[in-house]
Amino acid sequence: MKKILLIEDNLEIRENTTEILELDGFEVISAENGKIGVEKALESVPDLIICDIMMPVLDGYGVLHLLSKNVKTEGIPFIFLTAKADRGDFRRGMEMGADDYITKPFEETELLNAIESRLKKQKLIDKKYKQMKGLEELVKDVGGDEDLKILNQNREIRNYPKKSEIYREGAYPLYLFYIEKGRVKTYKTNEDGKELIVGLYGEGDYFGHVNLMTDESYSESAAPIEDCEISLIPKSDFNDLLHKNRQVSQKFIGILSKEIKENEEQLIKLAYNSVRKRVSEALVKFFEPMNPENLKVGIKISRDDISNVAGTSLETAIRTLSDFKDEKLIEIVSGKIRILEMEKLKALRN
């Protein structure tokens, strides 16, 4: 049974909300002000926190600030529940690291859907972290420092148009993929069809290797971000080289090590960074591998892809991009995004 901490000073709202949550199968711990709420959060460590903003003793912003500084509670999904609907208040809460913002009065389904969405995302993050810990054990057992011999010569090259499918989560792997041209995303999908992008690859990158090495079905899906040309290296050839050639082993252990580090950093950012910081880092991730000409003219990036890298809703991603445009950090013309202040985007405070 999932445990929810409800911090609300209005007795009627607190009791009604508690009843809704308990009827839906949650264990509810309630607190009548922010100070007591912080104490109960540290004592019980709930799975999710719902917190009013305007409260005596300690307001909701103060609660979020204190809990985000404590290692026991910094990663707990946090939803603001408030009568304040001002855009400035919304933005302040999201910048501080809140995961959602529900305005009173609210529908029962609105609250339950928001909770379900945040818990599903947290479950996905936890699952990805466990997968990465397994890869760390693999990294410990392999060594070697010789150069890698060319692995992708004289291979079949397939063209994958944008929005097509390279492979799907759950399918059995048959090839190692090498990108000759274009860009590819790998992503996981929850029960509602919401994506979380876990990898971005460009020209000269390999992908699909993790499940070949573990001999398991794909743990994620892959699709082109733009039209791609991809070399297909048969599984048998890859495995033969992997077991017989130290250079090839070392190359892919190096790739795994890099991906473990990047994925750990992504999990930390998803858990603790503000929405503005996550969207800015998503833009940087898309643009940094680009050549200077693309940076000058801008590139088309799906707003869905930006939100899926940042781990936020499409609406929030679009709103944040609009803020960046108003602040002259980016320019959006005919659907293309152009970075005006790359260093300022990188340096945005959390």
Side-chain angles (χ1 to χ4, degrees):
M1 181 182 292
K2 294 293 185 181
K3 190 188 312 179
I4 294 179
L5 172 60
L6 173 63
I7 309 173
E8 168 64 63
D9 66 316
N10 184 294
L11 177 60
E12 183 179 356
I13 294 176
R14 190 167 67 248
E15 290 180 344
N16 288 341
T17 305
T18 297
E19 183 179 359
I20 291 171
L21 297 176
E22 288 179 342
L23 286 173
D24 204 55
F26 295 105
E27 176 186 347
V28 181
I29 303 166
S30 63
E32 60 268 29
N33 64 54
K35 182 176 181 295
I36 295 174
V38 169
E39 293 171 353
K40 290 191 174 184
L42 295 173
E43 177 184 344
S44 62
V45 190
D47 296 291
L48 183 140
I49 297 171
I50 301 171
C51 183
D52 189 21
I53 288 184
M54 301 302 293
M55 295 183 295
V57 186
L58 182 67
D59 67 11
Y61 297 129
V63 172
L64 179 56
H65 175 75
L66 291 175
L67 295 181
S68 66
K69 300 298 181 184
N70 191 292
V71 68
K72 290 172 62 178
T73 55
E74 59 186 352
I76 299 175
F78 195 102
I79 298 176
F80 271 131
L81 183 63
T82 179
K84 295 172 69 64
D86 181 78
R87 177 181 171 87
D89 294 310
F90 174 89
R91 181 167 168 180
R92 179 184 175 189
M94 300 305 279
E95 286 178 355
M96 290 180 67
D99 294 282
D100 213 333
Y101 199 106
I102 298 177
T103 304
K104 295 183 280 190
F106 56 87
E107 297 290 334
E108 176 180 331
T109 54
E110 181 183 6
L111 175 64
L112 295 177
N113 286 340
I115 292 171
E116 182 181 9
S117 174
R118 302 321 306 176
L119 291 176
K120 281 184 177 180
K121 178 181 174 183
Q122 193 65 36
K123 183 179 179 180
L124 184 62
I125 290 173
D126 292 342
K127 182 179 178 181
K128 188 68 180 177
Y129 182 74
K130 289 178 181 177
Q131 290 174 343
M132 291 189 303
K133 297 305 285 186
L135 292 178
E136 285 179 347
E137 296 304 312
L138 178 63
V139 171
K140 292 177 184 177
D141 296 331
V142 185
D145 57 1
E146 300 178 30
D147 294 335
L148 172 69
K149 293 181 179 179
I150 297 174
L151 182 62
N152 60 309
Q153 285 184 338
N154 303 318
R155 300 295 181 180
E156 176 189 356
I157 296 179
R158 289 186 188 175
N159 295 315
Y160 290 90
K162 182 180 179 181
K163 295 185 179 180
S164 62
E165 183 181 85
I166 300 172
Y167 59 76
R168 181 176 298 178
E169 184 176 351
Y172 192 74
L174 298 175
Y175 298 100
L176 172 69
F177 299 91
Y178 178 82
I179 302 176
E180 303 282 354
K181 182 179 179 181
R183 292 183 298 157
V184 169
K185 65 180 179 181
T186 55
Y187 59 93
K188 296 185 72 67
T189 308
N190 70 10
E191 296 170 359
D192 299 323
K194 175 65 177 174
E195 291 180 9
L196 175 65
I197 293 178
V198 295
L200 292 172
Y201 302 90
E203 293 178 19
D205 287 338
Y206 294 94
F207 66 98
H209 47 279
V210 173
N211 299 107
L212 284 179
M213 296 173 78
T214 59
D215 196 29
E216 296 176 339
S217 300
Y218 286 118
S219 56
E220 56 202 18
S221 303
I225 297 174
E226 58 194 27
D227 293 350
C228 289
E229 294 179 5
I230 298 176
S231 291
L232 275 58
I233 301 166
K235 175 182 177 180
S236 57
D237 291 354
F238 172 66
N239 284 339
D240 186 56
L241 283 171
L242 191 67
H243 291 104
K244 294 181 179 179
N245 189 308
R246 289 186 62 210
Q247 295 94 324
V248 173
S249 296
Q250 180 62 19
K251 171 69 175 180
F252 283 93
I253 292 305
I255 292 173
L256 286 175
S257 298
K258 181 173 180 288
E259 290 180 349
I260 288 169
K261 181 179 179 181
E262 290 176 349
N263 285 337
E264 286 180 337
E265 290 175 351
Q266 182 185 14
L267 290 179
I268 292 170
K269 290 170 182 176
L270 285 174
Y272 309 138
N273 282 3
S274 67
V275 171
R276 277 171 58 86
K277 185 69 173 175
R278 299 203 306 268
V279 173
S280 71
E281 288 175 339
L283 286 174
V284 170
K285 185 176 287 190
F286 276 108
F287 273 87
E288 274 197 322
M290 296 291 98
N291 63 52
E293 290 304 312
N294 282 339
L295 293 177
K296 288 179 182 178
V297 301
I299 57 175
K300 282 193 173 183
I301 310 173
S302 160
R303 304 308 187 259
D304 278 319
D305 282 344
I306 293 174
S307 69
N308 294 338
V309 171
T312 189
S313 68
L314 175 61
E315 295 77 10
T316 300
I318 292 173
R319 185 166 50 244
T320 305
L321 289 174
S322 178
D323 289 343
F324 289 167
K325 182 180 178 182
D326 293 342
E327 296 164 26
K328 309 298 183 185
L329 297 174
I330 64 172
E331 183 179 67
I332 304 176
V333 179
S334 301
K336 287 187 174 181
I337 298 176
R338 187 164 73 91
I339 304 294
L340 301 178
E341 298 286 351
M342 178 64 84
E343 295 308 314
K344 287 186 179 179
L345 270 182
K346 291 180 180 179
L348 276 181
R349 296 179 65 85
N350 203 7

